[in-house]
Amino acid sequence: VWLVMGSTYLMEKSFEDNNVAYVRIVSRDAGRMFIRYFDQLWADAYKEPEIEPVHLANVDLMFNRQYFPAVRKLFQNAKRKIYVVLYGMYIGDGRSSVSLLAADLINAKERGVDVRIILDQSTGEFSERTGELNEEARQFFEKSGIELRMDSKEVITHAKVLIVDDQAVVGGTNWGHGPLDQYNDCNAVLRDPDAVEKLARAFLTLWNGSPRF
């Protein structure tokens, strides 16, 4: 069974032009669990699915609200590096889920962890508000000594990837109240060394000024 998850949406521009990231997982167990997830959403997309995370040899699958505590644990245990690339980030107030993730990043920076963030800055009517929120996030982290760079205006960076030491998170979750606390989304935590290294290289390609992965 093949399971593909990531940040690609079904439009030509997403396939042909955007910076996106996705992972292909070959696993019967993962496939069965995703079918259960799909069936529950099909029955009632407004109801939180009752489903457990999937733990495989080199990957964990997370659904909906499982993302937030798993990512917090990764950030809090980080020793060397945290690289974050997202389409959108809304910090919110001090009680929001994103503000707690941001605090974890600041604490990691203070421990000596190399923390870097890339956000999208594409233009256009749909992207205008996202661009404003991303700029607010850049200013927020700048005050804490964390560098946040915007991608090239030429390309939409729709990837949602976190690289934490020897693990990486790939999926569809942006950082905002809706994505973290309301929306239906899937993410994978990867521990395969080759996959994590490839994602880290892609991140650094953007970080160093290339418009594309």
Side-chain angles (χ1 to χ4, degrees):
V1 178
W2 284 13
L3 176 63
V4 179
M5 61 171 57
S7 56
T8 304
Y9 49 94
L10 298 180
M11 294 180 63
E12 182 178 359
K13 185 175 180 62
S14 182
F15 286 110
E16 301 293 337
D17 193 50
N18 293 357
N19 288 322
V20 296
Y22 50 89
V23 60
R24 185 187 70 180
I25 300 166
V26 183
S27 166
R28 289 182 182 274
D29 290 340
R32 291 192 190 100
M33 191 63 74
F34 187 81
I35 290 171
R36 284 184 54 198
Y37 175 74
F38 178 90
D39 286 344
Q40 290 185 48
L41 293 181
W42 184 262
D44 186 352
Y46 294 98
K47 182 180 178 181
E48 186 71 16
E50 296 179 0
I51 194 164
E52 295 296 321
V54 178
H55 302 290
L56 305 173
N58 287 318
V59 61
D60 297 335
L61 303 185
M62 305 178 294
F63 304 90
N64 292 22
R65 264 23 84 205
Q66 297 162 5
Y67 173 94
F68 177 69
V71 169
R72 291 207 71 189
K73 184 176 180 180
L74 286 173
F75 286 173
Q76 291 168 1
N77 292 327
K79 299 294 190 297
R80 301 189 310 280
K81 68 185 177 189
I82 300 176
Y83 297 162
V84 175
V85 57
L86 298 169
Y87 174 71
M89 181 186 299
Y90 173 46
I91 298 292
D93 60 30
R95 299 167 295 177
S96 72
S97 296
V98 181
S99 68
L100 294 175
L101 293 174
D104 290 333
L105 292 178
I106 293 169
N107 290 336
K109 173 71 173 179
E110 293 173 348
R111 295 196 307 271
V113 176
D114 178 17
V115 179
R116 309 186 195 188
I117 304 170
I118 299 173
L119 297 180
D120 183 74
Q121 68 163 344
S122 55
T123 58
E125 182 178 353
F126 180 78
S127 303
E128 183 175 352
R129 181 56 178 157
T130 300
E132 293 173 354
L133 295 174
N134 287 349
E135 174 58 23
E136 291 175 7
R138 188 193 67 77
Q139 295 177 20
F140 173 88
F141 282 109
E142 185 178 51
K143 296 175 183 178
S144 300
I146 294 177
E147 187 171 2
L148 188 160
R149 296 183 181 179
M150 300 296 188
D151 75 338
S152 169
K153 291 182 179 180
E154 302 172 15
V155 181
I156 295 174
T157 295
H158 205 252
K160 291 91 176 178
V161 178
L162 316 174
I163 300 160
V164 185
D165 294 339
D166 299 322
Q167 301 183 74
V169 179
V170 178
T173 301
N174 284 302
W175 285 12
H177 171 65
L180 292 175
D181 301 315
Q182 295 180 319
Y183 300 166
N184 296 311
D185 234 324
C186 304
N187 292 267
V189 181
L190 309 179
R191 292 182 292 275
D192 178 80
D194 291 340
V196 175
E197 176 60 26
K198 182 178 290 187
L199 289 165
R201 289 199 307 268
F203 176 92
L204 291 172
T205 297
L206 284 186
W207 184 262
N208 291 325
S210 172
R212 301 181 186 279
F213 282 146

